[in-house]
Amino acid sequence: MSFVSHVECTICGDRHDPKRLLTVCARCGQMLVVRYDLERVKTSVSKDALRQRPPGMYRFRELTPLDDGEEPVTLGEGGTPLLPLSRLGAHLGLRRLFAKDEGRNPTGSFKARGLGMAITRARTLGARGFVIPSAGNAGGAAAVYAARAGLPCAVVVPRGTPPAAIAEAQIAGAHVFTVEGSIANAGKVVTTIAPQLGWFDLSTLKEPYRLEGKKTIGLELAAELGWRMPDVLLYPTGGGTGLVGIPKAYAELLAMGWLAGALPRCFAVQAEGCAPVVRAFLDGAETTTAWESPTTHAAGLRVPSPFAGRQMLRVLRETGGGAVAVSETAIQGAQRLVAQLEGIWTAPEAAALVAALTVLKERGDVARDTEVMMIFTGVGLKYEPPPLDAPVELAGTDAEILAQVKRVIRP
Ligand SMILES: *Cc1c(COP(=O)(O)O)cnc(C)c1O
Ligand SMILES: [Zn+2]
């Protein structure tokens, strides 16, 4: 038996039947969330029992929407390392700095969690194929899990999407289409074609299952920190699944009595070239408005009109957090810095968090002893690298080669 009690609208509160394949609220068109019978979860599983299970996101099965006996479509999502970043922390003047390295998921990004869950549930509830608008990683992950589920998939991406993500989708047999503009234009195409194809629309937060996959980051973090929450959480924000999902995980664990205290202060980090959440936060607005001509090489942050603007702003305000936009050069510099100090080639979206830390430190939003958690959402290897020196070509006699090496490395 599943532990789901119902599915509820985040805005009007209307209840929906969890046994049906759901999209958005039938009454008001807003985002839906899955709710659980947390009392029953609490009496059915213990922290000790969880520890005995194999690692991965289905360790927390009772807090997922899976039915009893439902086999997940899985490639081993979750169970990613929580890394203390002491060298980067020392550089930035922070004593308790951590990253959850989501680049270690199948497909190299945390999209694997959300799409693994969404495709599992949608297939069980009758979906016959999938369509998704994407900035890259979501399309790749959707294609991969659709392949594993034995169902067809179409991916619509803006022109200029990182080639590795397109290849990832194509090699898994998905149909990939490109459009001009941003993911917003891709989303419009998906809205048109999904009902015509009869395939399920996996657009960010326009169905309630993907959030439950992303939420498992928060469940893992809670367990990994010894059933505590960090002081501050930094999230590279596009559509905002994790920004909404991680606090949801904490809230559920708080309601179960497995955690105590205040939610971490949550900060949305965006690129200066596309910062609708930052702008809305600073304006005191209730929701986001479309960002004109979005530009950033951090593909996952190029989301000019996120569907869940209201829900994200609510998280930032209710937790006493905030929002920061960083420049492209700051992102590139941060990407090199994390790689050099910690050995992690993280995605530009995640590097934006490191760039934002400098700003937050200066502003006094984080102090030397603040426990800071960053979600490193993807692996850098899937993207064009930041500007680097060309390797020096060695040629000639041994003496010449040695001279060439010594020009680079001065012992
Ligand atoms: C999709 C993506 C993001 C943004 O995530 P949202 O949940 O859409 O806000 C950040 N980083 C990477 C690497 C991504 O693929
Ligand atoms: Zn509603």
Side-chain angles (χ1 to χ4, degrees):
M1 193 171 36
S2 143
F3 290 82
V4 173
S5 59
H6 62 286
V7 173
E8 172 182 284
C9 176
T10 52
I11 300 299
C12 78
D14 216 27
R15 287 181 171 223
H16 296 69
D17 179 4
K19 298 208 161 42
R20 291 191 33 217
L21 182 58
L22 295 167
T23 56
V24 294
C25 177
R27 172 142 56 127
C28 76
Q30 283 282 338
M31 180 193 146
L32 298 177
V33 285
V34 177
R35 298 293 181 205
Y36 298 86
D37 182 346
L38 295 172
E39 275 305 310
R40 202 157 56 80
V41 174
K42 197 172 154 180
T43 55
S44 303
V45 64
S46 66
K47 291 176 183 174
D48 273 341
L50 280 182
R51 237 192 309 274
Q52 310 302 320
R53 297 181 184 173
M57 76 173 186
Y58 294 104
R59 168 178 275 187
F60 303 92
R61 186 172 175 119
E62 289 84 352
L63 286 173
T64 74
L66 294 203
D67 266 334
D68 208 22
E70 185 173 357
E71 283 288 336
V73 181
T74 180
L75 292 161
E77 313 67 47
T80 55
L82 174 61
L83 303 172
L85 304 181
S86 53
R87 281 164 50 78
L88 181 65
H91 180 83
L92 296 168
L94 296 170
R95 277 191 49 247
R96 298 154 76 205
L97 181 62
F98 295 88
K100 181 80 166 152
D101 189 7
E102 290 290 301
R104 303 274 284 273
N105 275 297
T107 77
S109 93
F110 71 157
K111 295 292 194 301
R113 294 185 191 253
L115 287 152
M117 186 73 78
I119 286 178
T120 295
R121 280 270 71 204
R123 179 179 68 165
T124 301
L125 295 170
R128 287 174 295 129
F130 301 98
V131 196
I132 189 166
S134 171
N137 286 328
V144 162
Y145 288 94
R148 192 127 169 106
L151 291 170
C153 183
V155 177
V156 186
V157 296
R159 233 188 267 150
T161 294
I166 293 180
E168 177 180 46
Q170 286 183 315
I171 202 164
H175 309 277
V176 179
F177 302 94
T178 61
V179 293
E180 225 179 309
S182 73
I183 192 173
N185 305 61
K188 285 189 200 123
V189 171
V190 166
T191 308
T192 311
I193 66 175
Q196 296 299 319
L197 295 170
W199 293 357
F200 190 61
D201 178 352
L202 289 167
S203 297
T204 306
L205 300 174
K206 289 190 178 171
E207 49 72 38
Y209 315 110
R210 198 161 141 189
L211 182 70
E212 296 306 297
K214 282 285 176 77
K215 182 186 86 176
T216 60
I217 299 173
L219 300 175
E220 286 180 16
L221 284 177
E224 284 161 346
L225 281 186
W227 304 103
R228 287 188 307 106
M229 291 176 276
D231 299 321
V232 162
L233 181 80
L234 300 191
Y235 188 80
T237 305
T241 45
L243 188 57
V244 177
I246 296 169
K248 180 178 192 282
Y250 285 141
E252 288 168 357
L253 296 171
L254 281 164
M256 285 166 58
W258 282 23
L259 287 176
L263 288 177
R265 286 182 283 130
C266 297
F267 288 86
V269 177
Q270 300 199 296
E272 282 173 357
C274 182
V277 175
V278 178
R279 180 173 66 188
F281 179 81
L282 297 177
D283 287 351
E286 198 187 325
T287 189
T288 48
T289 48
W291 188 274
E292 295 290 326
S293 317
T295 52
T296 168
H297 74 286
L301 305 185
R302 205 156 75 86
V303 182
S305 333
F307 179 60
R310 275 168 207 273
Q311 291 81 356
M312 286 191 263
L313 288 161
R314 204 192 263 171
V315 165
L316 302 181
R317 296 201 174 106
E318 286 180 358
T319 63
V324 183
V326 295
S327 71
E328 297 300 299
T329 47
I331 292 174
Q332 291 178 333
Q335 214 180 359
R336 286 187 295 254
L337 187 70
V338 188
Q340 283 164 18
L341 292 181
E342 301 288 0
I344 307 165
W345 183 3
T346 197
E349 294 88 339
L353 303 181
V354 176
L357 265 181
T358 310
V359 179
L360 293 173
K361 184 92 195 309
E362 277 166 15
R363 278 196 209 161
D365 279 321
V366 302
R368 190 170 172 73
D369 287 315
T370 309
E371 189 171 51
V372 178
M373 181 66 64
M374 298 187 284
I375 310 300
F376 277 7
T377 44
V379 71
L381 206 52
K382 286 179 84 177
Y383 301 72
E384 187 70 27
L388 299 166
D389 295 336
V392 172
E393 171 97 15
L394 300 179
T397 64
D398 287 357
E400 282 163 349
I401 286 176
L402 187 59
Q404 286 155 9
V405 169
K406 280 192 167 170
R407 242 172 274 139
V408 179
I409 306 169
R410 289 183 185 85

